[in-house]
Amino acid sequence: IKDVDSLDTARELVGGSIFVDALEEFVGEFDDEADDGSESLWPEMWDKIESASELIGYYTVLASTQEVIGQIEGIESNGIQDLLVIRYVKEDEDGDDGEGTNGKKPTFLVPFVEALVPVVDTEEKMVVLAEIEGLY
């Protein structure tokens, strides 16, 4: 976001909304390397997969905390895009293991689009999920 160049400035925007002109072109806006020349925390490997089904068994990691929260156990489709079926692997905050029917932890769906799954790491067999309130 233009003019957001410090953590304090970014914190002021938490909980707000961002609107983007759908017709605006973002050519050159997102570079593969960080502006400071440092290497990204995770490599982007979207180009190394041919089908979302290759991701079954991959772990899912939250971008904000780098915490593993689930494992991809299947792929569904809503007719427009693939949906990752992710089973929780961690305990709830209250210590409950979150087990549902048949002793299994519940699942949730995440559309397999780059905005929600910005990183696919085929070497570590994990995907990174963007932090979207209410998504999981």
Side-chain angles (χ1 to χ4, degrees):
I1 301 175
K2 186 177 180 181
D3 298 327
V4 179
D5 54 4
S6 73
L7 186 56
D8 290 332
T9 305
R11 283 187 177 139
E12 293 174 13
L13 300 175
V14 171
S17 298
I18 297 175
F19 298 93
V20 178
D21 182 352
L23 301 176
E24 185 176 341
E25 293 187 29
F26 294 100
V27 176
E29 188 75 19
F30 302 103
D31 295 329
D32 290 337
E33 296 180 22
D35 290 339
D36 61 3
S38 65
E39 191 173 315
S40 172
L41 181 60
W42 293 292
E44 294 186 27
M45 299 185 185
W46 270 77
D47 57 338
K48 291 190 178 189
I49 59 166
E50 293 183 22
S51 168
S53 63
E54 294 176 38
L55 303 178
I56 294 174
Y58 278 39
Y59 284 94
T60 56
V61 176
L62 287 180
S64 61
T65 63
Q66 302 172 26
E67 175 184 17
V68 174
I69 63 163
Q71 187 172 20
I72 300 170
E73 73 169 27
I75 307 296
E76 293 183 7
S77 177
N78 64 8
I80 298 172
Q81 65 214 1
D82 290 326
L83 303 169
L84 304 177
V85 179
I86 301 172
R87 184 161 309 276
Y88 285 105
V89 295
K90 68 174 211 135
E91 292 183 354
D92 294 339
E93 291 177 8
D94 61 2
D96 180 15
D97 66 4
E99 290 190 3
T101 58
N102 300 325
K104 290 186 174 183
K105 295 181 191 293
T107 60
F108 60 99
L109 301 175
V110 174
F112 186 48
V113 295
E114 196 165 359
L116 299 177
V117 186
V119 177
V120 175
D121 188 335
T122 57
E123 293 174 3
E124 296 293 327
K125 299 211 177 292
M126 71 172 193
V127 298
V128 176
L129 301 179
E131 190 81 32
I132 307 291
E133 186 175 335
L135 183 60
Y136 35 79

